[in-house]
Amino acid sequence: MATIIIFALIVLGVIFGLSRMRKEKTSGCCASSSLEKEVKVSDRHLDHYPYKTLFVCEDMICENCTRHVANTLNKFDDTYATVNLQSKQVTVYTKQKPDVPALQRALSQAGYPARLMH
């Protein structure tokens, strides 16, 4: 009897795992039903952004996370953010001196606390 119960639990675990993998592959792991659309930055010429700020955001785990982080920052005026998932690095280019606490607050409120790189 115990063998049957253990086998049933293993089967349920495998079914749950496969279901989760399929969901993550199609919609990202961030409990969203679809991939977030990119916030378009009209000026992508880095020469126009004299300030560069680097953050580390350890909580990013998928491409949907990176898009959400970039969108959160790209909503700021005169800001262009790029994100590298492998290094967990967020690069923020700004045309004016950046308000670092405001950027960190926005990321934290979006669910991605970040620390400033030195």
Side-chain angles (χ1 to χ4, degrees), residues 46-79:
L46 296 182
D47 295 340
H48 299 162
Y49 296 90
Y51 299 96
K52 178 179 173 181
T53 308
L54 299 173
F55 294 101
V56 173
C57 187
E58 298 291 339
D59 293 346
M60 298 183 300
I61 55 176
C62 71
E63 289 299 321
N64 205 35
C65 293
T66 62
R67 189 172 295 115
H68 191 64
V69 166
N71 285 348
T72 297
L73 297 169
N74 287 335
K75 290 176 184 174
F76 283 83
D77 290 335
D78 296 328
T79 300

mmCIF file of all heavy atoms in Angstrom, residues 46-79:
data_model
loop_
_atom_site.group_PDB
_atom_site.id
_atom_site.type_symbol
_atom_site.label_atom_id
_atom_site.label_comp_id
_atom_site.label_asym_id
_atom_site.label_seq_id
_atom_site.Cartn_x
_atom_site.Cartn_y
_atom_site.Cartn_z
ATOM 1 N N LEU A 46 23.318 56.112 -27.472
ATOM 2 C CA LEU A 46 23.987 56.226 -26.171
ATOM 3 C C LEU A 46 24.812 57.493 -26.041
ATOM 4 O O LEU A 46 25.054 57.961 -24.927
ATOM 5 C CB LEU A 46 24.857 54.992 -25.919
ATOM 6 C CG LEU A 46 24.091 53.671 -25.797
ATOM 7 C CD1 LEU A 46 25.052 52.530 -25.502
ATOM 8 C CD2 LEU A 46 23.023 53.756 -24.728
ATOM 9 N N ASP A 47 25.204 58.084 -27.165
ATOM 10 C CA ASP A 47 25.954 59.345 -27.116
ATOM 11 C C ASP A 47 25.118 60.472 -26.522
ATOM 12 O O ASP A 47 25.663 61.458 -26.035
ATOM 13 C CB ASP A 47 26.404 59.754 -28.520
ATOM 14 C CG ASP A 47 27.395 58.770 -29.117
ATOM 15 O OD1 ASP A 47 28.018 58.014 -28.343
ATOM 16 O OD2 ASP A 47 27.546 58.760 -30.346
ATOM 17 N N HIS A 48 23.810 60.318 -26.527
ATOM 18 C CA HIS A 48 22.914 61.351 -26.012
ATOM 19 C C HIS A 48 22.680 61.220 -24.498
ATOM 20 O O HIS A 48 21.974 62.030 -23.906
ATOM 21 C CB HIS A 48 21.571 61.302 -26.731
ATOM 22 C CG HIS A 48 21.691 61.535 -28.203
ATOM 23 N ND1 HIS A 48 20.702 61.191 -29.086
ATOM 24 C CD2 HIS A 48 22.688 62.069 -28.960
ATOM 25 C CE1 HIS A 48 21.077 61.498 -30.312
ATOM 26 N NE2 HIS A 48 22.280 62.037 -30.262
ATOM 27 N N TYR A 49 23.244 60.188 -23.901
ATOM 28 C CA TYR A 49 23.047 59.913 -22.480
ATOM 29 C C TYR A 49 24.395 60.013 -21.751
ATOM 30 O O TYR A 49 25.162 59.052 -21.720
ATOM 31 C CB TYR A 49 22.459 58.511 -22.287
ATOM 32 C CG TYR A 49 21.080 58.343 -22.864
ATOM 33 C CD1 TYR A 49 20.902 57.918 -24.181
ATOM 34 C CD2 TYR A 49 19.950 58.602 -22.101
ATOM 35 C CE1 TYR A 49 19.638 57.754 -24.715
ATOM 36 C CE2 TYR A 49 18.677 58.442 -22.623
ATOM 37 C CZ TYR A 49 18.525 58.014 -23.933
ATOM 38 O OH TYR A 49 17.277 57.850 -24.461
ATOM 39 N N PRO A 50 24.679 61.148 -21.145
ATOM 40 C CA PRO A 50 25.985 61.328 -20.499
ATOM 41 C C PRO A 50 26.149 60.578 -19.168
ATOM 42 O O PRO A 50 27.266 60.395 -18.703
ATOM 43 C CB PRO A 50 26.080 62.837 -20.275
ATOM 44 C CG PRO A 50 24.675 63.311 -20.242
ATOM 45 C CD PRO A 50 23.897 62.387 -21.134
ATOM 46 N N TYR A 51 25.053 60.129 -18.565
ATOM 47 C CA TYR A 51 25.138 59.465 -17.256
ATOM 48 C C TYR A 51 24.830 57.977 -17.404
ATOM 49 O O TYR A 51 23.905 57.588 -18.107
ATOM 50 C CB TYR A 51 24.159 60.095 -16.254
ATOM 51 C CG TYR A 51 24.445 61.554 -15.994
ATOM 52 C CD1 TYR A 51 23.757 62.538 -16.687
ATOM 53 C CD2 TYR A 51 25.408 61.927 -15.065
ATOM 54 C CE1 TYR A 51 24.019 63.880 -16.454
ATOM 55 C CE2 TYR A 51 25.669 63.265 -14.830
ATOM 56 C CZ TYR A 51 24.972 64.231 -15.533
ATOM 57 O OH TYR A 51 25.251 65.554 -15.290
ATOM 58 N N LYS A 52 25.611 57.194 -16.701
ATOM 59 C CA LYS A 52 25.443 55.736 -16.737
ATOM 60 C C LYS A 52 25.471 55.218 -15.307
ATOM 61 O O LYS A 52 26.404 55.503 -14.549
ATOM 62 C CB LYS A 52 26.576 55.107 -17.553
ATOM 63 C CG LYS A 52 26.548 53.607 -17.629
ATOM 64 C CD LYS A 52 27.727 53.132 -18.488
ATOM 65 C CE LYS A 52 27.883 51.643 -18.489
ATOM 66 N NZ LYS A 52 29.040 51.220 -19.296
ATOM 67 N N THR A 53 24.444 54.469 -14.926
ATOM 68 C CA THR A 53 24.338 53.902 -13.588
ATOM 69 C C THR A 53 24.159 52.393 -13.720
ATOM 70 O O THR A 53 23.376 51.932 -14.544
ATOM 71 C CB THR A 53 23.126 54.498 -12.831
ATOM 72 O OG1 THR A 53 23.197 55.926 -12.891
ATOM 73 C CG2 THR A 53 23.105 54.055 -11.387
ATOM 74 N N LEU A 54 24.883 51.650 -12.909
ATOM 75 C CA LEU A 54 24.815 50.187 -12.954
ATOM 76 C C LEU A 54 24.192 49.646 -11.674
ATOM 77 O O LEU A 54 24.558 50.059 -10.572
ATOM 78 C CB LEU A 54 26.205 49.591 -13.135
ATOM 79 C CG LEU A 54 26.949 49.985 -14.407
ATOM 80 C CD1 LEU A 54 28.379 49.459 -14.364
ATOM 81 C CD2 LEU A 54 26.226 49.452 -15.620
ATOM 82 N N PHE A 55 23.271 48.713 -11.852
ATOM 83 C CA PHE A 55 22.635 48.031 -10.737
ATOM 84 C C PHE A 55 22.817 46.532 -10.902
ATOM 85 O O PHE A 55 23.009 46.044 -12.015
ATOM 86 C CB PHE A 55 21.121 48.306 -10.695
ATOM 87 C CG PHE A 55 20.743 49.715 -10.407
ATOM 88 C CD1 PHE A 55 20.349 50.563 -11.425
ATOM 89 C CD2 PHE A 55 20.747 50.206 -9.112
ATOM 90 C CE1 PHE A 55 19.968 51.867 -11.174
ATOM 91 C CE2 PHE A 55 20.380 51.509 -8.835
ATOM 92 C CZ PHE A 55 19.982 52.344 -9.879
ATOM 93 N N VAL A 56 22.720 45.818 -9.799
ATOM 94 C CA VAL A 56 22.630 44.366 -9.826
ATOM 95 C C VAL A 56 21.250 44.007 -9.286
ATOM 96 O O VAL A 56 20.838 44.498 -8.234
ATOM 97 C CB VAL A 56 23.727 43.705 -8.958
ATOM 98 C CG1 VAL A 56 23.511 42.206 -8.862
ATOM 99 C CG2 VAL A 56 25.085 44.013 -9.519
ATOM 100 N N CYS A 57 20.554 43.163 -10.024
ATOM 101 C CA CYS A 57 19.204 42.751 -9.643
ATOM 102 C C CYS A 57 19.162 41.220 -9.645
ATOM 103 O O CYS A 57 18.963 40.600 -10.684
ATOM 104 C CB CYS A 57 18.197 43.338 -10.621
ATOM 105 S SG CYS A 57 16.505 43.063 -10.148
ATOM 106 N N GLU A 58 19.370 40.625 -8.490
ATOM 107 C CA GLU A 58 19.479 39.168 -8.370
ATOM 108 C C GLU A 58 18.165 38.434 -8.608
ATOM 109 O O GLU A 58 18.176 37.245 -8.906
ATOM 110 C CB GLU A 58 20.002 38.797 -6.972
ATOM 111 C CG GLU A 58 21.383 39.313 -6.663
ATOM 112 C CD GLU A 58 22.485 38.642 -7.476
ATOM 113 O OE1 GLU A 58 22.269 37.529 -7.980
ATOM 114 O OE2 GLU A 58 23.556 39.248 -7.606
ATOM 115 N N ASP A 59 17.034 39.101 -8.492
ATOM 116 C CA ASP A 59 15.737 38.427 -8.560
ATOM 117 C C ASP A 59 15.257 38.143 -9.980
ATOM 118 O O ASP A 59 14.202 37.529 -10.160
ATOM 119 C CB ASP A 59 14.679 39.235 -7.817
ATOM 120 C CG ASP A 59 14.939 39.262 -6.313
ATOM 121 O OD1 ASP A 59 15.756 38.446 -5.842
ATOM 122 O OD2 ASP A 59 14.326 40.086 -5.619
ATOM 123 N N MET A 60 15.980 38.579 -10.989
ATOM 124 C CA MET A 60 15.576 38.296 -12.371
ATOM 125 C C MET A 60 15.932 36.854 -12.712
ATOM 126 O O MET A 60 17.074 36.438 -12.516
ATOM 127 C CB MET A 60 16.285 39.239 -13.349
ATOM 128 C CG MET A 60 15.961 40.689 -13.159
ATOM 129 S SD MET A 60 16.754 41.733 -14.403
ATOM 130 C CE MET A 60 18.495 41.402 -14.143
ATOM 131 N N ILE A 61 14.948 36.108 -13.231
ATOM 132 C CA ILE A 61 15.213 34.709 -13.550
ATOM 133 C C ILE A 61 14.795 34.306 -14.962
ATOM 134 O O ILE A 61 15.076 33.190 -15.369
ATOM 135 C CB ILE A 61 14.554 33.770 -12.515
ATOM 136 C CG1 ILE A 61 13.061 34.050 -12.393
ATOM 137 C CG2 ILE A 61 15.232 33.906 -11.166
ATOM 138 C CD1 ILE A 61 12.339 33.112 -11.472
ATOM 139 N N CYS A 62 14.149 35.213 -15.699
ATOM 140 C CA CYS A 62 13.741 34.861 -17.056
ATOM 141 C C CYS A 62 13.695 36.119 -17.927
ATOM 142 O O CYS A 62 13.851 37.233 -17.437
ATOM 143 C CB CYS A 62 12.380 34.170 -17.051
ATOM 144 S SG CYS A 62 10.982 35.263 -16.675
ATOM 145 N N GLU A 63 13.467 35.913 -19.206
ATOM 146 C CA GLU A 63 13.401 37.042 -20.138
ATOM 147 C C GLU A 63 12.234 37.977 -19.814
ATOM 148 O O GLU A 63 12.320 39.175 -20.033
ATOM 149 C CB GLU A 63 13.286 36.533 -21.582
ATOM 150 C CG GLU A 63 14.556 35.903 -22.096
ATOM 151 C CD GLU A 63 15.731 36.861 -22.126
ATOM 152 O OE1 GLU A 63 15.558 38.056 -22.461
ATOM 153 O OE2 GLU A 63 16.843 36.424 -21.796
ATOM 154 N N ASN A 64 11.153 37.432 -19.300
ATOM 155 C CA ASN A 64 10.025 38.281 -18.915
ATOM 156 C C ASN A 64 10.428 39.205 -17.766
ATOM 157 O O ASN A 64 10.020 40.365 -17.724
ATOM 158 C CB ASN A 64 8.819 37.424 -18.544
ATOM 159 C CG ASN A 64 7.518 38.171 -18.716
ATOM 160 O OD1 ASN A 64 7.363 38.983 -19.623
ATOM 161 N ND2 ASN A 64 6.558 37.881 -17.866
ATOM 162 N N CYS A 65 11.253 38.703 -16.848
ATOM 163 C CA CYS A 65 11.761 39.541 -15.749
ATOM 164 C C CYS A 65 12.572 40.702 -16.312
ATOM 165 O O CYS A 65 12.414 41.851 -15.885
ATOM 166 C CB CYS A 65 12.649 38.733 -14.811
ATOM 167 S SG CYS A 65 11.834 37.444 -13.870
ATOM 168 N N THR A 66 13.459 40.404 -17.267
ATOM 169 C CA THR A 66 14.312 41.458 -17.813
ATOM 170 C C THR A 66 13.483 42.516 -18.526
ATOM 171 O O THR A 66 13.765 43.701 -18.417
ATOM 172 C CB THR A 66 15.375 40.894 -18.778
ATOM 173 O OG1 THR A 66 14.740 40.269 -19.885
ATOM 174 C CG2 THR A 66 16.287 39.917 -18.076
ATOM 175 N N ARG A 67 12.461 42.079 -19.227
ATOM 176 C CA ARG A 67 11.595 43.028 -19.926
ATOM 177 C C ARG A 67 10.854 43.909 -18.914
ATOM 178 O O ARG A 67 10.719 45.114 -19.104
ATOM 179 C CB ARG A 67 10.608 42.278 -20.825
ATOM 180 C CG ARG A 67 9.835 43.205 -21.741
ATOM 181 C CD ARG A 67 8.996 42.454 -22.763
ATOM 182 N NE ARG A 67 9.854 41.710 -23.683
ATOM 183 C CZ ARG A 67 9.880 40.379 -23.773
ATOM 184 N NH1 ARG A 67 9.107 39.647 -23.015
ATOM 185 N NH2 ARG A 67 10.683 39.772 -24.621
ATOM 186 N N HIS A 68 10.406 43.293 -17.825
ATOM 187 C CA HIS A 68 9.679 44.054 -16.800
ATOM 188 C C HIS A 68 10.598 45.083 -16.138
ATOM 189 O O HIS A 68 10.199 46.231 -15.914
ATOM 190 C CB HIS A 68 9.092 43.092 -15.763
ATOM 191 C CG HIS A 68 8.130 43.727 -14.823
ATOM 192 N ND1 HIS A 68 6.935 44.274 -15.233
ATOM 193 C CD2 HIS A 68 8.207 43.931 -13.490
ATOM 194 C CE1 HIS A 68 6.311 44.776 -14.184
ATOM 195 N NE2 HIS A 68 7.059 44.597 -13.124
ATOM 196 N N VAL A 69 11.832 44.698 -15.845
ATOM 197 C CA VAL A 69 12.802 45.619 -15.240
ATOM 198 C C VAL A 69 13.101 46.774 -16.201
ATOM 199 O O VAL A 69 13.068 47.949 -15.822
ATOM 200 C CB VAL A 69 14.098 44.871 -14.843
ATOM 201 C CG1 VAL A 69 15.219 45.841 -14.532
ATOM 202 C CG2 VAL A 69 13.828 43.966 -13.655
ATOM 203 N N ALA A 70 13.389 46.446 -17.462
ATOM 204 C CA ALA A 70 13.679 47.494 -18.443
ATOM 205 C C ALA A 70 12.490 48.427 -18.615
ATOM 206 O O ALA A 70 12.649 49.651 -18.658
ATOM 207 C CB ALA A 70 14.069 46.869 -19.783
ATOM 208 N N ASN A 71 11.291 47.879 -18.702
ATOM 209 C CA ASN A 71 10.094 48.713 -18.862
ATOM 210 C C ASN A 71 9.884 49.636 -17.674
ATOM 211 O O ASN A 71 9.518 50.797 -17.836
ATOM 212 C CB ASN A 71 8.854 47.837 -19.049
ATOM 213 C CG ASN A 71 8.767 47.230 -20.425
ATOM 214 O OD1 ASN A 71 9.493 47.609 -21.341
ATOM 215 N ND2 ASN A 71 7.888 46.266 -20.583
ATOM 216 N N THR A 72 10.124 49.122 -16.482
ATOM 217 C CA THR A 72 9.962 49.937 -15.271
ATOM 218 C C THR A 72 10.853 51.170 -15.339
ATOM 219 O O THR A 72 10.421 52.284 -15.020
ATOM 220 C CB THR A 72 10.300 49.098 -14.019
ATOM 221 O OG1 THR A 72 9.364 48.018 -13.929
ATOM 222 C CG2 THR A 72 10.253 49.932 -12.762
ATOM 223 N N LEU A 73 12.083 50.969 -15.788
ATOM 224 C CA LEU A 73 13.031 52.088 -15.846
ATOM 225 C C LEU A 73 12.831 52.961 -17.079
ATOM 226 O O LEU A 73 13.004 54.182 -17.022
ATOM 227 C CB LEU A 73 14.454 51.549 -15.797
ATOM 228 C CG LEU A 73 14.793 50.812 -14.501
ATOM 229 C CD1 LEU A 73 16.116 50.079 -14.635
ATOM 230 C CD2 LEU A 73 14.793 51.762 -13.321
ATOM 231 N N ASN A 74 12.455 52.363 -18.193
ATOM 232 C CA ASN A 74 12.280 53.131 -19.426
ATOM 233 C C ASN A 74 11.055 54.039 -19.388
ATOM 234 O O ASN A 74 10.899 54.907 -20.254
ATOM 235 C CB ASN A 74 12.218 52.193 -20.636
ATOM 236 C CG ASN A 74 13.574 51.614 -20.973
ATOM 237 O OD1 ASN A 74 14.601 52.198 -20.649
ATOM 238 N ND2 ASN A 74 13.579 50.454 -21.597
ATOM 239 N N LYS A 75 10.218 53.895 -18.395
ATOM 240 C CA LYS A 75 9.067 54.795 -18.230
ATOM 241 C C LYS A 75 9.502 56.158 -17.685
ATOM 242 O O LYS A 75 8.763 57.129 -17.796
ATOM 243 C CB LYS A 75 8.028 54.158 -17.313
ATOM 244 C CG LYS A 75 7.331 52.976 -17.961
ATOM 245 C CD LYS A 75 6.381 52.297 -17.004
ATOM 246 C CE LYS A 75 5.782 51.063 -17.644
ATOM 247 N NZ LYS A 75 4.952 50.288 -16.712
ATOM 248 N N PHE A 76 10.699 56.230 -17.114
ATOM 249 C CA PHE A 76 11.232 57.505 -16.646
ATOM 250 C C PHE A 76 11.614 58.347 -17.863
ATOM 251 O O PHE A 76 12.115 57.827 -18.861
ATOM 252 C CB PHE A 76 12.479 57.295 -15.782
ATOM 253 C CG PHE A 76 12.204 56.832 -14.381
ATOM 254 C CD1 PHE A 76 11.986 55.497 -14.108
ATOM 255 C CD2 PHE A 76 12.181 57.739 -13.332
ATOM 256 C CE1 PHE A 76 11.739 55.063 -12.826
ATOM 257 C CE2 PHE A 76 11.940 57.321 -12.039
ATOM 258 C CZ PHE A 76 11.716 55.975 -11.782
ATOM 259 N N ASP A 77 11.403 59.668 -17.768
ATOM 260 C CA ASP A 77 11.778 60.573 -18.852
ATOM 261 C C ASP A 77 13.284 60.547 -19.071
ATOM 262 O O ASP A 77 14.062 60.485 -18.109
ATOM 263 C CB ASP A 77 11.345 62.014 -18.529
ATOM 264 C CG ASP A 77 9.830 62.178 -18.588
ATOM 265 O OD1 ASP A 77 9.177 61.391 -19.291
ATOM 266 O OD2 ASP A 77 9.332 63.096 -17.920
ATOM 267 N N ASP A 78 13.682 60.632 -20.338
ATOM 268 C CA ASP A 78 15.098 60.714 -20.725
ATOM 269 C C ASP A 78 15.947 59.608 -20.109
ATOM 270 O O ASP A 78 17.071 59.835 -19.674
ATOM 271 C CB ASP A 78 15.675 62.084 -20.352
ATOM 272 C CG ASP A 78 14.993 63.207 -21.119
ATOM 273 O OD1 ASP A 78 14.584 62.974 -22.271
ATOM 274 O OD2 ASP A 78 14.875 64.311 -20.568
ATOM 275 N N THR A 79 15.393 58.407 -20.090
ATOM 276 C CA THR A 79 16.070 57.247 -19.519
ATOM 277 C C THR A 79 16.020 56.098 -20.509
ATOM 278 O O THR A 79 15.012 55.876 -21.172
ATOM 279 C CB THR A 79 15.390 56.822 -18.200
ATOM 280 O OG1 THR A 79 15.449 57.908 -17.289
ATOM 281 C CG2 THR A 79 16.059 55.617 -17.580
#
